[in-house]
Amino acid sequence: MGRARLAELHGVSTTYEPEPGRTVRVSEDTVVAVLAALGVDASTPRAVQDALEAHRTARLGRLLPPAVVLRDGGKRNLPELPDGTLLRVDTEDGRTLPWDPAAGPGAEPLPPGGHLLRAQAPDGRSASAPLIVAPGRVPAPPGRSHGFLVQLYSLLSARSWGMGDLGDLAELATWSARAFGSDFVQVNPLHAAVPGPPTDPSPYRPSSRRFPDPVHLRIEEIPEYAYLTGPARARADELTARAAALRRAVLEDGALIDRDAVWDLKRRALELVRTVPLGPGRRAAYGDFLAEQGQALDDHSTWCALAELHGPDWRSWPAGLRDPRSARTARARGELLERVDFHCWLAWLTDGQLAAAQRAALDGGMRVGLVHDLAVGVHPSGADAWAQQDAFAAGMSIGAPPDAFTSRGQDWGLPPWRPDALAATGYAPYRDLLRGLLRHAGALRIDHVMGLFRLWWVPQGYEPRRGAYVRYDAEAMLAVLVLEAHRAGAVVIGEDLGTVEPGVREALAERGVLGTSVLWFERDYDGAQSAQRAEGTEGAGRGAESGQGAGSGDGDGGDGDGRDGDGAAHAEPLEPGRWRAGCLATATTHDLPSTAARLTGDHVELRHRLGLLTRPLETEQREDATAVAEWLALFGRLGLLPEGPGDEEAAVRAVHRFLLRTPARMVGIWLPDAVGDRRPQNLPGTWDQYPNWRLPVADATGRPVPLEELAASPRLHALMEEVRAAAGGR
């Protein structure tokens, strides 16, 4: 009992429910390991008692909690203070303000921000704690909107160097805004990757979430590129020719996207461009960027320079270099100053092209623009894990517990943030991360948004099923999110597919965070539709209760195999009027089959060929065909499929007609769906069996389709003209 109580005090759950009504107890050794990662010794009964006593003593002596959150003027988690305690707030802009939490409505409210609260009790005790003051909600989407979803690397054009880049993103945004009235383009995480070879192609296992990857740069759009002369110009032209060969290999010869080959060429070109001096204005802008980004950029760039010398896993570096604050690291930073500055310069260039892409989107008429994606974690070998070691739980990785699809659970190999370390810093790492991502974004998608509430921690060396949930201060995490989104004027979308504990969707909706609803998982699991039809009444929307099928999975590996779950055959498709309004509604995601593959059953055949099915092929095909037929029948009843059955293109249009019939505030069109692509970008459960994250957008035959051809595609135009008309003509 003592160990369970200790675990509870530190947010470690000793049980979990893989399905409603079934409770599984977490093993004692897992609890001990997780507590140890939080700095708590629970290895023996005596250690448990000592830890409990230490916690009690600390709580009794503490005037303030680890962090204080104020949302929309209401106070939270501020304990009862001794009479006469004085409270002062050191604001983030340098002011000191008196504060009386009991003051009436007429009192001047504290400004939004990340502040420091100081308390002075009459008995001489004093304390301080981070104070987060946030508005009540994130900004709402600007009316009803639609836009494309795309993995940027897959979007090649005639100017790409073997993979899609930020120039292609700007072109896509401008064209789709002007041609179809689209309001946004959602892309995969553009976070910096851990360098190879080979580089992990997954955008969901980055080296750093704080800084974008310069592999996305459009080299020719760097101003200094135009001023290369002599031998440098000749070498640049040679690299451009080799880049064209890479592009042709992908678009014409069927080669996979080779990120390492692309980066090798771009790095060489960038080193040439680096020899061109910056003009006074550009140099001043670069200096401003360095000052603004500060220590975070210095750490990131130092890691990049050290990785070039010692390899990308900092845990294998010479001992002194494993500590970013050691004297040896300081010396190395000085010795490698030129390379450190090179990587700072790359971050500045990439930031500038991201800004240009967002400007292009807004100038083209988009009301939101770019929707960036925040991965759920970082690679344990990467720059963030090195620079922020105190913030991460050593020896732990996040994943998912066993469920209907993965009986062993999942280990995503990503170290979790320590909730106590976040609170102690006033959530500074999290605030800085959000602020960086929102610099040039109209909206932010948060992968596995449930991680703001709890994460499944797996001790190193343990099977994924032997993990435990660790809770975070969701009130504080959400307050920081609302604060930074409010400052940026950005919409927030949470990827809330899969198993979601009660109360999470409601808490997100209360703060204006949109959910994610995927058509094939939106079914009437509570049976309300059938009852209402029997009574001859119309159903009302389920709001946050919709979308509770066994979702598609997280970007880092997936929670399931794309099936709707065991109850799907007994749950009718959810009629459009009963969908929640507060969501981004889509037909698919990067982890799921394309719509054409879903309609034709190609995705089942693919999984069969790769040996991924756990049941006979005929069983899978029968259930899949039944599920699709149910949706097509609903489309027919609603008059959304006037072309009748048997026309794949018409069925794809019907899917999107349906999505636009729902009250969803945002409707996303998976760009490959617009040209009939059959292939998923990522197939959960595979590694080298399938070319995850390396496929260009292609047509129904698998032939790659460059951006210029996409823009002229009759199939795409037929779909998007209907989308535009249904969305009100924008």
Side-chain angles (χ1 to χ4, degrees):
M1 288 296 293
R3 186 172 286 149
R5 174 59 179 158
L6 187 62
E8 179 186 8
L9 291 171
H10 290 277
V12 180
S13 299
T14 55
T15 62
Y16 69 95
E17 291 189 10
E19 57 193 54
R22 185 165 78 89
T23 300
V24 175
R25 183 165 295 281
V26 174
S27 66
E28 289 287 316
D29 56 337
T30 295
V31 173
V32 170
V34 171
L35 283 171
L38 291 167
V40 180
D41 183 3
S43 57
T44 66
R46 179 53 186 259
V48 168
Q49 291 305 311
D50 289 346
L52 286 169
E53 179 60 26
H55 187 278
R56 188 185 72 83
T57 301
R59 187 178 69 248
L60 290 175
R62 182 188 300 143
L63 275 176
L64 298 174
V68 178
V69 176
L70 294 178
R71 179 161 62 97
D72 226 15
K75 75 174 187 288
R76 174 196 174 270
N77 76 343
L78 193 64
E80 187 173 340
L81 298 170
D83 290 342
T85 299
L86 296 177
L87 296 175
R88 292 188 177 276
V89 176
D90 294 342
T91 66
E92 62 181 15
D93 60 5
R95 294 178 292 160
T96 298
L97 304 175
W99 181 45
D100 180 4
E108 182 178 354
L110 291 173
H115 314 307
L116 183 69
L117 176 63
R118 298 185 183 276
Q120 181 69 53
D123 60 9
R125 288 183 298 158
S126 62
S128 63
L131 171 64
I132 302 161
V133 181
R137 296 171 62 85
V138 302
R144 190 127 195 250
S145 61
H146 65 84
F148 283 122
L149 319 177
V150 66
Q151 301 282 290
L152 180 56
Y153 59 83
S154 72
L155 181 71
L156 280 75
S157 73
R159 299 178 182 179
S160 306
W161 283 34
M163 62 182 280
D165 60 33
L166 292 170
D168 297 320
L169 177 58
E171 289 284 351
L172 174 66
T174 301
W175 163 68
S176 62
R178 295 185 183 280
F180 309 118
S182 298
D183 276 316
F184 64 88
V185 174
Q186 178 182 304
V187 294
N188 55 285
L190 303 183
H191 309 321
V194 176
T199 297
D200 185 341
S202 171
Y204 292 92
R205 281 173 58 82
S207 170
S208 174
R209 296 185 292 177
R210 178 63 184 81
F211 295 100
D213 199 308
V215 75
H216 300 113
L217 283 168
R218 171 69 63 85
I219 300 297
E220 295 88 342
E221 291 184 3
I222 301 170
E224 289 72 31
Y225 178 84
Y227 296 99
L228 289 171
T229 59
R233 167 56 62 189
R235 289 197 296 273
D237 291 344
E238 178 189 348
L239 292 169
T240 302
R242 292 173 61 184
L246 269 183
R247 179 177 63 247
R248 287 193 299 270
V250 174
L251 293 177
E252 300 174 17
D253 302 335
L256 298 175
I257 292 169
D258 187 341
R259 181 192 182 103
D260 289 327
V262 172
W263 176 237
D264 179 61
L265 295 180
K266 288 192 176 184
R267 178 183 53 78
R268 295 179 189 213
L270 287 161
E271 287 170 345
L272 292 172
V273 175
R274 176 75 168 159
T275 64
V276 178
L278 295 175
R282 294 268 290 166
R283 178 162 293 282
Y286 179 43
D288 289 345
F289 180 78
L290 293 176
E292 181 181 20
Q293 301 303 314
Q295 186 70 55
L297 178 59
D298 194 36
D299 286 342
H300 173 71
S301 300
T302 299
W303 182 90
C304 292
L306 289 170
E308 291 175 336
L309 279 182
H310 301 290
D313 185 356
W314 61 268
R315 296 166 300 184
S316 67
W317 292 353
L321 297 179
R322 297 173 203 164
D323 178 0
R325 304 291 168 252
S326 72
R328 182 167 182 181
T329 298
R331 288 196 302 273
R333 186 179 284 117
E335 293 163 359
L336 299 171
L337 187 59
E338 176 56 35
R339 292 307 291 179
V340 171
D341 191 54
F342 175 71
H343 289 287
C344 289
W345 176 72
L346 294 182
W348 174 60
L349 294 178
T350 313
D351 181 81
Q353 290 197 6
L354 277 170
Q358 175 67 353
R359 282 196 304 272
L362 298 179
D363 290 347
M366 285 189 167
R367 293 180 294 174
V368 175
L370 304 184
V371 181
H372 288 298
D373 196 351
L374 172 60
V376 69
V378 296
H379 199 290
S381 300
D384 284 0
W386 175 74
Q388 300 174 5
Q389 292 174 48
D390 291 344
F392 289 100
M396 295 286 144
S397 67
I398 58 177
D403 58 22
F405 303 110
T406 53
S407 59
R408 293 182 59 253
Q410 298 176 60
D411 182 347
W412 302 333
L414 309 170
W417 266 334
R418 285 181 54 159
D420 57 334
L422 287 178
T425 61
Y427 295 85
Y430 178 48
R431 288 203 321 265
D432 293 344
L433 170 61
L434 291 173
R435 197 168 298 171
L437 284 167
L438 291 167
R439 279 171 63 85
H440 310 302
L444 179 66
R445 174 192 182 269
I446 300 180
D447 189 47
H448 194 73
V449 71
M450 297 82 79
L452 301 181
F453 296 77
R454 66 177 186 176
L455 284 170
W456 183 256
W457 287 22
V458 181
Q460 186 174 359
Y462 284 41
E463 294 181 12
R465 63 182 178 84
R466 295 180 60 202
Y469 276 116
V470 176
R471 293 205 168 273
Y472 292 76
D473 186 341
E475 185 74 20
M477 298 289 278
L478 290 171
V480 172
L481 175 62
V482 171
L483 173 63
E484 295 303 330
H486 184 79
R487 284 173 161 168
V491 177
V492 179
I493 303 159
E495 187 269 291
D496 58 348
L497 302 172
T499 302
V500 184
E501 65 176 326
V504 167
R505 287 194 175 101
E506 292 79 1
L508 294 169
E510 181 186 347
R511 291 159 179 82
V513 177
L514 302 183
T516 301
S517 293
V518 177
L519 180 133
W520 309 101
F521 304 143
E522 292 293 319
R523 288 179 172 268
D524 183 28
Y525 292 101
D526 57 17
Q529 282 181 178
S530 298
Q532 287 158 355
R533 273 201 295 273
E535 296 169 5
T537 60
E538 288 294 323
R542 282 201 299 169
E545 290 297 317
S546 68
Q548 294 185 27
S552 67
D554 307 305
D556 42 65
D559 282 337
D561 63 1
R563 292 183 288 123
D564 286 333
D566 295 337
H570 308 290
E572 300 175 0
L574 194 67
E575 294 180 0
R578 298 190 63 239
W579 283 44
R580 55 180 170 173
C583 75
L584 166 67
T586 71
T588 189
T589 74
H590 56 263
D591 279 335
L592 288 174
S594 69
T595 302
R598 177 80 68 173
L599 292 167
T600 59
D602 280 12
H603 69 111
V604 179
E605 291 281 356
L606 173 62
R607 295 182 65 81
H608 173 64
R609 290 197 303 272
L610 297 177
L612 298 176
L613 297 183
T614 58
R615 299 183 297 173
L617 173 62
E618 295 76 14
T619 302
E620 296 278 356
Q621 288 176 320
R622 183 173 59 254
E623 289 194 7
D624 186 70
T626 299
V628 170
E630 289 173 345
W631 280 102
L632 293 176
L634 176 58
F635 299 159
R637 291 197 302 272
L638 295 173
L640 300 176
L641 191 52
E643 300 90 344
D647 185 333
E648 177 200 310
E649 265 193 70
V652 172
R653 290 196 296 271
V655 165
H656 291 88
R657 291 168 187 148
F658 181 94
L659 293 176
L660 289 155
R661 185 76 67 88
T662 74
R665 296 293 302 274
M666 300 177 75
V667 174
I669 299 94
W670 179 238
L671 183 60
D673 274 351
V675 288
D677 200 341
R678 297 280 200 277
R679 307 169 304 175
Q681 282 294 317
N682 178 49
L683 187 58
T686 63
W687 178 244
D688 56 0
Q689 308 100 310
Y690 185 80
N692 296 315
W693 318 112
R694 289 174 286 172
L695 295 171
V697 175
D699 65 15
T701 69
R703 182 183 63 85
V705 181
L707 177 57
E708 293 82 1
E709 194 173 325
L710 276 166
S713 165
R715 177 168 179 162
L716 183 149
H717 276 265
L719 172 62
M720 293 306 297
E721 287 301 335
E722 291 212 21
V723 168
R724 180 172 192 163
R730 267 196 56 79

